[in-house]
Amino acid sequence: MIQGDIPSDRVPLGPMELRITTAIDGVLAVVASVAMLAWVFGRPLFYTPNAPVLSAFTAFSLLLMVLVRQARLHLETWPIALSLAMTGLVLGGNASSIVMLATMPAKLWETFSGVVLTSSMTSLGLVLFCLYDFVIALRETPQSPLLMDDLLIHLALVPGGVSLLGYLLGNPTYLSIHADPRVGISLFEMALLGLYAAGAILSNPRLFLWRFLAAGWTNRLVFAGLFANQFVAPLVVALVFAPPGATGPGVELFAMLAGVVTTVTFLLLQARVARRQPLSGGTPP
């Protein structure tokens, strides 16, 4: 701990959760490092000039994020200030990328043919993951009236869900494809972000979601229904109502947003009930 650092509020993981999270982060760190080196040597992974590819900047962001998480989990003396600085670097870089893509003329991109930027949807997901990491590092107690960690992790999953919807429907808008067709979200990138999300959930035993699921099979079935409503129902809506080859936002996007609001509202109400009548449990099953 360095001078002026914030006291750690760490909750140790169970052995199994720690092993799985470490394995996930190890895979992500290796893949991100290989992806960055591949760009350096001019042979990007799964490169195609007419479809989204993994950006070196995305790989660098993921590498920093998993290194911070593993340092926090394994190093007792790891300073929180360093976690905040490295996470802030990722957040600031991706927020700047969103602004740059929104304001930079498309013709200017042609001068950067050897560089692929991080798509806006990917940057949004990474920013939300960074905010989630800030909450994990800074909070003083797990009893938060707003369940900020649960809310942020659910919101961070939304860009990935929208992107998967875009892939299944062939909708370039949902894949965050810009003027440069290489700037977007590929299946490879979706898989990496999904792995990071799995590690984020497993490495946080203080998520209210774990308490809720540990209370019984009824709660697990209810949440499975909410999850299906959030990610499966929009696909069904799209298959029924979206015309083939449609581009731009459709009714399926609003169905997904409605599912997100439903899930978040349900968890907030359950947390309020739990504060009055505490649920048993508190760690992942």
Side-chain angles (χ1 to χ4, degrees), residues 191-273:
L192 295 181
L193 293 174
L195 276 177
Y196 184 84
I201 295 171
L202 281 172
S203 63
N204 184 7
R206 284 175 137 178
L207 281 173
F208 174 75
L209 177 62
W210 288 127
R211 295 182 59 198
F212 177 75
L213 295 177
W217 278 103
T218 300
N219 287 10
R220 297 172 191 176
L221 291 174
V222 168
F223 187 77
L226 290 171
F227 188 86
N229 180 59
Q230 182 172 333
F231 293 107
V232 179
L235 178 59
V236 175
V237 169
L239 294 176
V240 173
F241 294 104
T247 60
V251 66
E252 63 277 359
L253 178 62
F254 298 101
M256 178 173 287
L257 295 178
V260 172
V261 172
T262 300
T263 302
V264 166
T265 303
F266 179 81
L267 288 176
L268 287 173
L269 293 175
Q270 288 296 316
R272 183 170 180 82
V273 172

Side-chain angles (χ1 to χ4, degrees), residues 70-156:
Q70 284 303 302
R72 187 176 68 240
L73 291 176
H74 289 279
L75 302 177
E76 293 289 338
T77 58
W78 177 257
I80 294 180
L82 191 53
S83 290
L84 298 180
M86 294 175 69
T87 303
L89 176 64
V90 176
L91 188 151
N94 281 279
S96 298
S97 179
I98 293 174
V99 174
M100 183 171 62
L101 286 172
T103 58
M104 188 170 63
K107 288 187 177 295
L108 187 58
W109 292 10
E110 297 176 1
T111 62
F112 303 133
S113 59
V115 177
V116 174
L117 302 176
T118 300
S119 71
S120 296
M121 193 74 77
T122 300
S123 290
L124 176 60
L126 293 173
V127 165
L128 289 169
F129 278 127
C130 287
L131 292 175
Y132 170 82
D133 287 339
F134 278 148
V135 170
I136 299 303
L138 292 174
R139 68 179 174 186
E140 297 178 356
T141 170
Q143 299 299 327
S144 169
L146 292 179
L147 293 179
M148 287 303 297
D149 46 357
D150 287 78
L151 298 186
L152 286 170
I153 197 64
H154 276 86
L155 291 176

